[in-house]
Amino acid sequence: MAQVRYHGHLADLTGCRQEALEGTTVAKLLDQIKRQHGAEAYRLAKRSHIIVDRRSAGAEKGFRTPAGLDSLVEFIPVCGGG
Amino acid sequence: MILPVYAQVDLTNGRWRKCTISAKLFEQYLGGKALGARLLTDLTPAGLDPLSPEAVLIVNTGPMNDTGAPSSSRFNMTFKNVLTGGIASSNCGGPFGMLLKKAGFDGLILCGKAPELSMVVVEDGKIRIEPCPQLQGLDTERIQEELPERYGKLVIGPAGENQVRFACAASGERVAGRCGAGAVMGSKNLKAIIAFGTREVVKANPEGFEAHTRKWVKQLKKHPMTGDSLPRYGSAGLVSKANASGVLPTRNFTRGRYEHYEDVSGETLADTKLLRNSGCVSCPIRCERRVKVKGKDVKGPEYETLGLFGPNLENNNLDLINELNYRCDLLGMDTISLAGTIAFAMELQEKGMGDFGLKPGQPEDLLRVVEDVACRRGPAGELAEGSKILSEKYGGADFAIHSKGLELASYEPRKSVGMGLGYATANRGGCHLNGGYLALLESVGVISMDAQTPKGKPELTVFFQNGMEAASAAGFCLFTMQAMIPGILFKFGPASFVCRAAGKAMLAARPLLSQIWKCMPWIMPINCMLVPHSKSIALATGLPMTIGKFFTVGERSYNVERLYNLREGLTRADDALPERLTKTPQEPDQPDTVVPLDQMLPVYYKVRGWDAHGVPTAKRLRHLGIPLPEEG
């Protein structure tokens, strides 16, 4: 089970800040999110920054990035600023 | 075409006169920081003390101020940088700029020194100087309450009067924060400038302008960044992502992650402290946070303040950060430079290299420190000089986190190396915005770009530096530039193939990006909604503005600022970062987590058309229509 942490509005949509989910890749975790929290949470999670064990999935294999049993996977909605 | 009208004001004798900016200068520089840099170069000799009576302070608007264009209330202050000795421009979204324009002036050029504490009153095309000794020592809120309500106000607090090197100037609750604008006003015995008038901006094509503005506002409101994320979380929303990317400066930039970051994140701010969001005049984005400090509804902290008064000082007390932010605004000090200087002084003290009466591990004591700095009182009062001067006296240059003397903003560049290059080359010193803000592409934005590679970063830095320079010159908020990132990318997300490919494509476009400046402005002789700024300027002013010309204004401005810095004695050696960031990897097991400045700088100079010493070549200056320094 990977530990999944939600940030921003995603925590509101899922109703929790952190939970354990089953899935060996980011894509599989996203499927779990869709099943457990619905399409809106899934959409926002998919569009978020996804950080697997402190490395950006965007810089790794995207949605195919592996998530291990002890992985911490963070979903952070994209923000602006400066 | 209506040309900008400026007033030259001699504070020593109270005399003033109107002057009109020529059509050529207007077209070349527009206004704001670009025109400010040109005028400061022309009006002052080299080598002046920035706090001497002979020093010049330019307070000016851009052509878009008070037009009703989106996010166009920004006005500018240009002067010799109190921290770096080079160029300074400081930007503010308060109501003063709009009222200055309504009073009949696009800018003020102030020189001399008033014989006693005074204020400049600008009203319906006329200017007078009034002594105001009764305002001495008042904070920025109190003084604005004391002055008549209808005026737009630009004031300093006690820190400005005491010439703290990073003192700011305030208009409403917004500040021109960086580089010491407040100290320059203080050195001139200038406590306030107030303006009122009823002049309306005449637009070249009012109907076309209104239609374009409607379309642009719609675009900003629809865009995921300016229409959702910024209104929802403000810039504070960046804390979590910055931490996850390793760019959240922690413990004087020794690390890029903070274990208690959630305590000071934008989400926590929104969930537990936020009263509502607000914004500058004419801005549809409304990114400002309103929070309660001691029962009072006040402006909340930006990301920079959260990062630098929070993780960088290992402080996870959000209430305290809110209060420190408010106190700094009242006293009139830049939170970035102050917090950066405190972090440096704490490390000096911990290493036994100096004693400033700081109490590491007791964040509540920071409130006392802030007051002491503003009043230049006690051992902590020495922090009013900033990191660079402290490091020259006490040592520790390798961990004094500044560039050219200006403290770095809240992005740890070892995990965002393009941002590192931006800090090092920014004309006003360690500024993320003047530096091109590549952190948005590398670390915190929607595009997935390799944050460690130096390849492509010089080209992208030049591109964004020039674009942001032009937007600022016109009077636009730089946040409007963030809507240039296609909204469609946000539908896919940073982990998607599309956003990853976008990042790779931007880096791969470096040969093209390095060449476009040779054929700008002819390469983009058009206007389109990808860069709505240029058409807005054309419709409001009647200038034949295109996207190409818009970016050329930015490039021209960047070169004029560079020439000013060179004239004042800054050199290639000042395009630097402290060794902590260039030699010590942030992650000990990842040697590439340093800023490879030596690899990026030569490419950057080449793209800019500068020689190996970072000096603009005669060829590039002629191309831009900038007089060669020896031609005057």
Side-chain angles (χ1 to χ4, degrees), chain A residues 7 9 17 49 60 79-81, chain B residues 229 233 241 271 445 482 500:
Chain A
H7 292 266
H9 189 43
R17 284 253 185 230
H49 289 286
E60 302 290 316
C79 279
Chain B
S229 153
Y233 297 115
K241 181 62 185 42
D271 290 348
Q482 297 194 11
R500 293 162 68 212

Side-chain angles (χ1 to χ4, degrees), chain A residues 67-80:
Chain A
L69 284 177
D70 300 324
S71 288
L72 174 65
V73 184
E74 297 188 71
F75 290 88
I76 307 172
V78 177
C79 279

